[in-house]
Amino acid sequence: MAKQEKIWGRKKYFNISYGMPSLTRGNGLEKLNSDFAVAINRGNTYYLHKKPLFGMLKFGLDWTVFDIAAAKYTVEESDFEDGGDIYKAEIGMQFGPSITINPVDFLKINVYFRYDPTFSVAYNQDSDFLMNYGSYFNTGLAASYKVISLGAEYRWGTTSYKIDEENQDWKVSGAYLYVSFRF
């Protein structure tokens, strides 16, 4: 019983991520790949049952109370644009189901899907700050042994910005790799 508590007792997580997202803007502009992207988030898993099913499986709800991501994109000079950099940041909170399997010892494998309502901000040298709500989603997989986890997730979503009195949908999608600490 004490070993089960040590295995399943680490419900809080803190992730540090490096990403490779891409940005698709409206009006037929070219797709941009990020120069860099980073994210940090902190949350908790709430398991839906006390004892693991089959001695190794638990269903839960993940609630990431703090999620912040930032990325830089370089725009090449073209007929439509002057070039320059676009900086984009998202601040959100994620919520969704997860499945955790404990096949052996303290090793756990976690799969999740989360909805991520987000406040999104973008800036480039040609415009003011662009701000709006965006709907984002995350799905991922992590393997943890005691405190340390390694994981990968895929994030995607859309934010609509008003640029020159016209709405443009900016779509972000890409993979993130992360190191996680579970407490």
Side-chain angles (χ1 to χ4, degrees):
M1 196 63 162
K3 184 176 181 182
Q4 286 295 314
E5 180 57 35
K6 287 180 181 179
I7 291 171
W8 296 103
R10 300 180 191 279
K11 300 174 187 174
K12 295 179 182 179
Y13 52 86
F14 179 78
N15 300 345
I16 301 170
S17 307
Y18 179 80
M20 295 127 317
S22 61
L23 173 64
T24 303
R25 300 167 293 155
N27 295 340
L29 297 171
E30 68 177 305
K31 182 177 183 177
L32 302 174
N33 292 317
S34 66
D35 297 337
F36 74 87
V38 294
I40 60 171
N41 58 51
R42 180 180 168 276
N44 202 344
T45 300
Y46 298 94
Y47 293 114
L48 300 177
H49 44 93
K50 199 167 189 113
K51 292 185 179 181
L53 302 173
F54 313 109
M56 62 187 239
L57 174 70
K58 279 196 175 187
F59 293 93
L61 293 174
D62 290 346
W63 181 23
T64 305
V65 295
F66 176 76
D67 176 36
I68 185 167
K72 176 184 173 246
Y73 302 90
T74 300
V75 179
E76 300 298 327
E77 206 170 308
S78 70
D79 295 338
F80 300 106
E81 301 176 291
D82 295 336
D85 296 332
I86 294 175
Y87 298 92
K88 191 162 181 342
E90 288 96 20
I91 299 170
M93 180 172 25
Q94 304 172 14
F95 185 77
S98 67
I99 300 171
T100 305
I101 299 170
N102 171 233
V104 63
D105 200 26
F106 288 94
L107 176 67
K108 290 191 301 187
I109 299 168
N110 174 263
V111 177
Y112 58 87
F113 175 81
R114 301 178 190 146
Y115 174 62
D116 188 3
T118 300
F119 176 71
S120 182
V121 178
Y123 173 78
N124 70 10
Q125 67 217 27
D126 297 334
S127 66
D128 295 331
F129 282 95
L130 305 171
M131 296 181 259
N132 205 355
Y133 167 82
S135 289
Y136 288 72
F137 298 91
N138 299 358
T139 188
L141 170 72
S144 62
Y145 190 84
K146 295 187 179 181
V147 175
I148 299 290
S149 295
L150 296 176
E153 73 178 11
Y154 188 79
R155 295 179 175 214
W156 71 97
T158 302
T159 304
S160 183
Y161 296 116
K162 190 167 203 140
I163 302 172
D164 298 329
E165 302 301 319
E166 181 182 315
N167 284 336
Q168 284 187 15
D169 288 338
W170 286 25
K171 298 177 182 180
V172 174
S173 62
Y176 283 77
L177 302 174
Y178 64 86
V179 174
S180 181
F181 302 96
R182 290 197 159 265
F183 307 100

